[in-house]
């Protein structure tokens, strides 16, 4: 065991798998010499060679598009998109090829590609640097979309992603890249994709969150506890496939749902959670499932971001309203 | 040396024979055995026959939309004669002769254009990508198969196709740049057939040629008469050697003309003149090579008729076989999306089957009434 | 009044507005000489000149990106994306600029751009030619996303779009481009964006649909009527802004909701409808709101499409199940 | 004629003065009045002073991330001297001197980098786009402002910036192609500062130059010493005339060096050597022009110190003003997203205000306890 933050944990997972699997290559803008703008790939080029960990030209469509060719030719590319706001140029490659090559070729070519995407707000960033667009990927058939909330999960989930026969959007909540430290095993271990996790059992309200919002919910839970509300906290971890079973059983127990995320609200992940609550546990619902997510506007620059970010207090406010409904 | 002599920067079109099939530049006539030459010609005939039959099947409503290849066969045949079993082919969607060389069966091809996914994977074609419908998006794939080849030290090269229209897409640019920076073995072939659906080349780009775009990536570029089999063969050969020996990618612009419609749903009379079409028909690649072969006594017109009727029988037999191929089950819609079907998809399938059952029993009831 | 199909109606709207507003320019792949692959812009270049109706190079990012420049410089570009499956290369321009320029520049530059997108399945098309990706756009703050279901609506809604100060994704259900004919006024008239419409009042189940699915629901309603179920049919027309008021009042009345769309189900428009049903009418719900939409797979080629398309019978099946819940 | 004489195809860098500021090609020395030349130099000094102060404000934690301009000022000043009031500027994010010429106030600039949207719109700058963070995505905008200019028969040209890294993006390609095909008045300027964050040019492209990429679009391309004010001024002047008179777009590659970090969060020592940095410092554009001016008795070192201290006072005054600018209200998050706020957004705002009210009363209660 070793104390790691999420950056260390992701780096460790990459390091381990680069050693284990000669087909893995890691590339993207600045991931080589520089080790990535968030230093996530730091040291990997030195250790594994510039053939396997390297910089690419500044072209996201090219980065993902080349990954498609590599995957078809038997490699396992891990590409970094520098920020969630810069994945868009690669959308055509992601939707038209990465997500559907297996289906289109009836399994002849598969796409074991991991696309790493630092995402989310709260880091006083420039415009286009704070986006949370996981819902877009979750709607595209053929992708897996996962988001860890702790260093230990990040490592185990990334190792799973690096063993996944199908493409994975591995979204990294950059706000907590270095904010959370914990003991993480130095071994190679994997956490299955597609499974959520009950972080805290409770009886009154099911709160569903992921990524950086898990920590915010945990802060809100202190207030909830004071107010005598028992919260069951679920870390969704996987946006698609989504763990309906876990969600259903928790919602059936509590009858109340609060969903918390950084994404813009309309047509987001939260909507799917609302749908699931109905489809899976309609007769158990005692209050309308509630979305606590961002306004349907662009993320403001730092000076306005406090208006926009989801605060623990707001989460508590909605938990309380739902509990009292 | 062609790439040097006719470098795109010199604005010279590389040709070996004239429009009638007379050799105008003997020094550039590539070495090619008579057998291979005749095979190359027969490949063109076969592809053309299949192509024309597919168009007529389409008119009969027996397949869906199809993009005719008529007039572009020399390009495909040149690649077909050079490409090796382990080489990769990354197609656009209008180079049937090259697909056949990679082992795509006519049956798969028919199934695909009949709208049956079973065919679209081209399962029998080793190291070949599926057709790429989103224009130019296949080029980054091609670029980096080359990287895998380099990394694994394999003896392979990649042939990648795009159209003239495809050169306008950002992916064309990104792909060629990646390939050049990473110095990988790829032969990029632009089939400049003068049109992107209805849009003529001059509205696509005003560069001196398409080949000259190679300059932007620091790779050799060559503009070739794409209806001149010898020129195409020589160009592909040299490109292949250049790239296989570690010198990085090359770009070939094959100047040709789409004699047919863009697809079977297109009507070219809306956007081009009969005169233009006729002018280009005079440069038809099959006729040119035939003239040459007849002149050299390597071919007789009489032989051709028989051969084609043989082709037609064969093609039709396979087409009927494809028509009788079972249509695919519900299962197939689901099973290939992920390696392991997510629970959600499983449930969607089960729910749908439940509906189908209900529907069947309902129909029975209706019938019973 | 004149009998028009949707192609005629859209053409007519463009024609009228090209005449009225000298700032309108219409361009895209094959829209000029050819009049578009669906002939929607037929004759417009002849009438209004090649300066204002013209072909562009084959580059979707360029097409939308140039529209941004034109809009900032005072024009009103109407661009055609040839098929819904070919918008993806333009995603970066749509998300990073079209949707947010007004907000980023605090209104200094606005984006009165209409992006026309033929979409949907059921036309025996090649791969990538049958997609229904409206949910992706609906999730992006700053866009309007509208979909007509009749020629008359298409004309009136397009005229509104062409007068909208903000960007509109105008999605055209190509399956019914020529399938529905009706009397359409030859005048200039507009139908406000953001408003749904009750096509058929009813009391038992609220069915919400849009685009080509409206007609399929109408077929299912014949069966429902036979089965004695009174359906209230709402044509949503606008995906964003979404007409919550109309939805809420209908759902409160019937207590039952069936949503019908061609899109893949997970994280789609349907999820938002489920969320709205809960947020707006929780206490009135008598059955779990139901989504009848496509499988989460790519659209099969024509030979498999019957497995995938939503049939009137399936719609009826779900209406009945919901009514009987 | 520079564009002909030094056409990118000839692989010659256009320079007028050497690294010390000595004129090496008098025939190419552009006509420029002494007044304008001194203004150009003072513009460079001002921009550099502001730039350096912003970097130090950032170190003090008074602004957020900032991309320093150090070493690239000659390019911006050359544009600043040529650009007209009605001309358009489409920036990337590292050409402050050009922004100031378009009327961007320092206060807006500071507000923007302090993270206040109010500044980011650059409301006082006529015909100027906001900063474009997504690399190269601004270039298609620039391309087609030109179309609007043509259509409306306006007397305007567009200046558009990108970095060397930006040339790899598909949008670079699509934009230049559109501009050339539509023959619109745009001057594309690549600031080749050798790096895209940590990635050196040779890993970005292996073309002979960036200017030569113009070949791919059929437009003139010129590689200029971007640290040579005279060369830049002459190039921009000629480009402007060329494009304003209806000859279509041009591409200028300005060869320079980013002397500072990529942004204030970057550490260049990770990816480049001290030697390289020092070699480029010797070619500093401000020093070169200063040497020239002093040599020509147009400037005295003594004057500079005073001027800079004056600049610093002014800059600091405005900076403090920006710091005291009211932070923006909740309203501003919502009100600019659409012309007319959709009901949904209105409700989100109202709901949030309700929460804020609850929060305030809760805090009061806590305090009361
Ligand atoms: C990204 C994308 N945009 C648009 C289309 C529609 N489309 C299909 S073929 C075609 C023209 C292609 O022209 P070109 O590259 O010259 O190839 P050709 O058809 O002439 O062989 C277009 C616009 C598409 N398939 N993909
Ligand atoms: C589409 C996109 N991808 C990645 C980034 C992150 N990024 C910001 S600046 C930069 C490098 C830009 O290099 P260059 O174009 O040479 O401009 P310079 O910074 O040198 O002025 C990168 C990769 C971005 N802003 N946009
Ligand atoms: Mg073509
Ligand atoms: Mg740079």
């Amino acid at each position: 065991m070793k104390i790691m933050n999420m950056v260390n944990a992701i780096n460790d997972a990459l390091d381990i798998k680069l050693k284990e699997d000669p087909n893995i290559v890691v590339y993207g803008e600045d991931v080589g010499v520089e080790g990535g703008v968030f230093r996530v790939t730091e040291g990997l080029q030195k250790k594994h060679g510039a053939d396997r960990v390297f910089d690419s030209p500044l072209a996201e469509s090219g980065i993902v598009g080349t990954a498609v060719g590599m995957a078809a030719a038997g490699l396992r590319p891990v590409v970094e998109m520098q920020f969630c706001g810069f994945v868009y140029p690669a959308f055509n490659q992601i939707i038209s090829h990465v997500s559907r090559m297996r289906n289109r070729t009836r399994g002849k070519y598969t796409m074991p590609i991991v696309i790493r995407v630092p995402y989310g707000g709260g880091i006083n960033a420039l415009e286009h640097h704070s986006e949370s667009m996981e819902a877009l990927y979750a709607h595209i058939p053929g992708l897996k979309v996962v988001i860890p909330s702790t260093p230990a999960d990040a490592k185990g989930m990334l190792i799973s992603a690096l063993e996944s026969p199908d493409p994975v959007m591995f979204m990294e909540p950059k706000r907590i890249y270095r904010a959370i430290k914990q003991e993480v095993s130095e071994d190679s271990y994997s956490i299955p994709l597609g499974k959520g996790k009950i972080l805290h059992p409770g009886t009154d309200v099911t709160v569903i969150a992921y990524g950086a919002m898990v920590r915010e919910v945990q802060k809100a839970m202190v207030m909830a506890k004071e107010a005598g509300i028992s919260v069951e906290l679920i870390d969704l971890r996987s946006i698609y496939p989504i763990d309906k079973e876990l969600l259903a059983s928790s919602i059936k127990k509590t009858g109340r749902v609060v969903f918390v995320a950084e994404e813009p609200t309309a047509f987001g992940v939260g909507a799917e959670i609302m749908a699931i609550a109905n489809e899976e546990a309609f007769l158990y619902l005692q209050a309308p499932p509630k979305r606590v997510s961002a306004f349907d506007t662009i993320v403001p620059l730092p000076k306005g971001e406090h208006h926009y970010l989801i605060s623990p207090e707001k989460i508590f406010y909605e938990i309380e309203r739902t509990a009292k409904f | 040396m062609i790439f040097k002599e006719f470098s795109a920067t010199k604005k010279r079109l590389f040709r070996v024979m004239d429009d009638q099939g007379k050799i105008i530049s003997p020094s550039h006539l590539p070495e090619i055995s008579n057998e291979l030459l005749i095979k190359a010609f027969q490949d063109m005939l076969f592809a053309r026959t299949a192509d024309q039959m597919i168009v007529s099947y389409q008119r009969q409503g027996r397949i869906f939309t199809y993009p005719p290849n008529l007039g572009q066969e020399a390009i495909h045949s040149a690649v077909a004669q050079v490409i090796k079993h382990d080489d990769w082919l990354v197609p656009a969607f209008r180079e049937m002769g090259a697909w056949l060389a990679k082992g795509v069966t006519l049956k798969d091809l028919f199934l695909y254009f009949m709208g049956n996914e079973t065919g679209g994977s081209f399962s029998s074609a080793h190291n070949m990508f599926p057709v790429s419908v989103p224009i130019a998006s296949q080029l980054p794939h091609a670029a980096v198969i080359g990287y895998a080849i380099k990394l694994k030290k394999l003896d392979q090269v990649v042939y990648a196709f795009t159209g003239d229209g495809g050169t306008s897409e950002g992916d064309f640019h990104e792909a060629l740049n990646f390939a050049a920076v990473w110095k990988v073995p790829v032969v990029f072939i632009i089939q400049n057939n003068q049109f992107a659906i209805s849009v003529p080349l001059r509205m696509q780009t005003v560069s001196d040629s398409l080949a000259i775009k190679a300059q932007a990536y620091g790779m050799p570029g060559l503009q070739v008469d794409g209806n001149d089999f010898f020129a195409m063969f020589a160009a592909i050969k040299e490109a292949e050697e250049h790239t296989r020996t570690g010198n990085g990618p090359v770009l070939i612009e094959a100047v040709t003309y789409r004699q047919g419609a863009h697809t079977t749903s297109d009507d070219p009379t809306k956007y081009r003149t009969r005169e233009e079409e006729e002018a280009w028909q005079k440069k038809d690649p099959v006729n040119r090579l035939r003239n040459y072969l007849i002149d050299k006594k390597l071919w007789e017109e009489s032989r051709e008729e028989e051969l084609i009727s043989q082709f037609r029988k064969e093609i039709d037999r396979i087409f009927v076989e494809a028509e009788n191929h079972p249509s695919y089950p519900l299962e197939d819609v689901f099973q290939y999306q992920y390696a392991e079907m997510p629970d959600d998809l499983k449930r969607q399938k089960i729910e749908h089957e439940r509906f189908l059952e209900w529907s069947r029993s309902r129909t029975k009831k209706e019938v019973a009434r």
Side-chain angles (χ1 to χ4, degrees), chain A residues 65-74 93 96-98 101 104-105 108-111 113, chain B residues 83 87-93 95 98-99 102 104 112 119-123 125-132 137-146 158-161:
Chain A
T66 52
V68 170
M70 287 194 192
Q93 289 294 340
S96 298
H97 296 295
V98 173
M101 186 63 81
R104 286 171 64 218
T105 63
K108 182 179 176 189
Y109 294 118
T110 62
M111 294 284 118
I113 297 171
Chain B
I83 199 168
D87 290 344
W88 283 82
L89 178 64
V90 180
F93 52 84
E95 50 279 312
W99 310 354
K102 275 308 289 177
V104 172
Y112 179 60
S121 64
F122 298 157
S123 59
H126 174 58
N127 284 355
M128 174 179 166
F129 259 58
V131 163
S132 180
S137 64
Q138 72 279 13
L139 298 176
H141 312 165
V144 153
I145 293 173
V158 183
Y159 296 89
F161 278 94

Side-chain angles (χ1 to χ4, degrees), chain A residues 30 42 57-58 60 127 296 298 300-301 303 307 313-314:
Chain A
D30 305 288
E42 186 139 53
L58 206 179
E60 290 75 11
E127 42 178 0
D296 290 312
I298 55 173
L301 289 181
K303 278 278 169 8
H307 293 308
E313 198 180 14
K314 182 148 187 197

Side-chain angles (χ1 to χ4, degrees), chain A:
Chain A
M1 295 297 238
K2 202 174 147 183
I3 298 286
M4 296 189 196
N5 62 28
M6 198 179 279
V7 167
N8 309 141
I10 294 171
N11 184 284
D12 194 36
L14 289 170
D15 188 24
I16 288 173
K17 293 304 294 183
L18 275 161
K19 247 176 273 165
E20 276 180 28
D21 182 349
N23 286 319
I24 290 181
V25 290
V26 175
Y27 66 101
E29 295 155 13
D30 305 288
V31 307
V33 175
E34 164 113 325
V37 291
F38 291 107
R39 306 284 180 263
V40 171
T41 54
E42 186 139 53
L44 296 178
Q45 182 175 75
K46 271 226 175 92
K47 264 196 189 161
H48 302 282
D51 271 3
R52 297 187 57 209
V53 181
F54 49 96
D55 293 322
S56 74
L58 206 179
E60 290 75 11
S61 183
I63 292 171
V64 176
T66 52
V68 170
M70 287 194 192
L75 297 181
R76 234 182 209 288
V78 183
V79 297
E80 176 176 304
M81 301 277 100
Q82 211 155 64
F83 285 83
C84 182
F86 305 139
V87 189
Y88 311 134
F91 254 64
N92 189 36
Q93 289 294 340
I94 294 175
I95 304 186
S96 298
H97 296 295
V98 173
S99 74
R100 65 177 74 184
M101 186 63 81
R102 174 190 287 278
N103 196 343
R104 286 171 64 218
T105 63
R106 313 270 100 170
K108 182 179 176 189
Y109 294 118
T110 62
M111 294 284 118
I113 297 171
V114 176
I115 302 180
R116 293 185 37 246
V117 184
Y119 86 102
I123 59 157
N124 286 327
L126 301 170
E127 42 178 0
H128 304 279
H129 284 73
S130 301
E131 323 231 322
S132 299
M133 285 286 126
E134 55 275 20
L136 298 183
Y137 307 109
H139 186 50
I140 299 167
L143 298 178
K144 296 179 181 175
V145 186
V146 304
I147 303 179
S149 73
T150 63
D153 275 9
K155 178 171 171 183
M157 287 164 67
L158 183 52
I159 288 180
S160 283
L162 294 169
E163 292 168 353
S164 164
D166 290 317
V168 180
M169 300 292 302
F170 192 86
M171 301 189 67
E172 303 171 2
K174 58 182 174 309
R175 185 179 179 179
I176 52 169
Y177 256 159
R178 295 171 186 278
I180 300 175
K181 293 193 179 101
Q182 68 180 174
E183 297 247 303
V184 176
S185 159
E186 286 168 272
D187 298 340
S188 179
Y189 65 92
S190 64
I191 294 174
L193 306 182
K195 295 282 165 225
K197 185 180 177 183
I198 296 180
L199 291 187
H200 189 277
T203 51
D204 297 336
V205 181
T206 297
V207 179
I208 301 161
Y210 50 85
M213 285 304 101
V214 168
R215 193 178 59 154
E216 304 308 296
V217 175
Q218 282 164 337
K219 291 177 196 160
M221 282 169 68
V222 177
M223 302 179 224
K225 199 173 172 192
E226 262 178 43
I229 302 166
S230 165
V231 167
E232 174 142 313
L233 171 57
I234 293 182
D235 178 3
L236 195 57
R237 298 205 293 198
S238 177
I239 313 296
Y240 192 89
I242 195 162
D243 194 347
K244 284 194 179 170
E245 217 174 307
L246 180 73
L247 297 180
S249 74
S250 176
I251 298 170
K252 282 181 185 165
K253 182 170 72 177
T254 62
R256 292 166 205 272
V257 187
V258 172
F259 168 81
V260 182
E262 297 182 66
E263 59 165 9
T265 301
F267 302 86
V269 172
E272 183 67 26
I273 299 284
M274 306 294 100
I276 291 170
N278 276 267
E279 289 168 352
E280 307 294 320
F282 181 73
L283 295 174
Y284 300 82
L285 289 179
Q286 291 166 44
K290 178 72 196 168
R291 297 182 271 189
V292 188
S293 37
F295 311 136
D296 290 312
T297 67
I298 55 173
V299 187
L301 289 181
K303 278 278 169 8
E305 215 183 355
H306 65 285
H307 293 308
Y308 185 88
L309 293 176
I310 309 293
S311 65
E313 198 180 14
K314 182 148 187 197
I315 298 168
F316 167 63
Y317 168 75
E318 296 294 0
I319 289 175
E320 194 183 45
R321 294 210 316 164
T322 301
K324 286 189 182 158
F325 183 88

Side-chain angles (χ1 to χ4, degrees), chain B residues 256-274:
Chain B
T256 181
Y257 192 77
R258 192 194 72 215
Q259 292 184 24
H262 169 68
T263 67
T264 45
S265 8
D266 174 48
D267 171 14
T269 64
K270 293 206 69 164
Y271 53 82
R272 64 189 194 188
T273 62
R274 189 76 211 117

Side-chain angles (χ1 to χ4, degrees), chain B residues 93-94 133-135 163-166 169 193 195-197 262:
Chain B
F93 52 84
R94 202 191 297 280
V133 171
I135 301 297
D164 46 318
E169 289 280 5
N193 63 5
F195 286 92
I197 309 188
H262 169 68

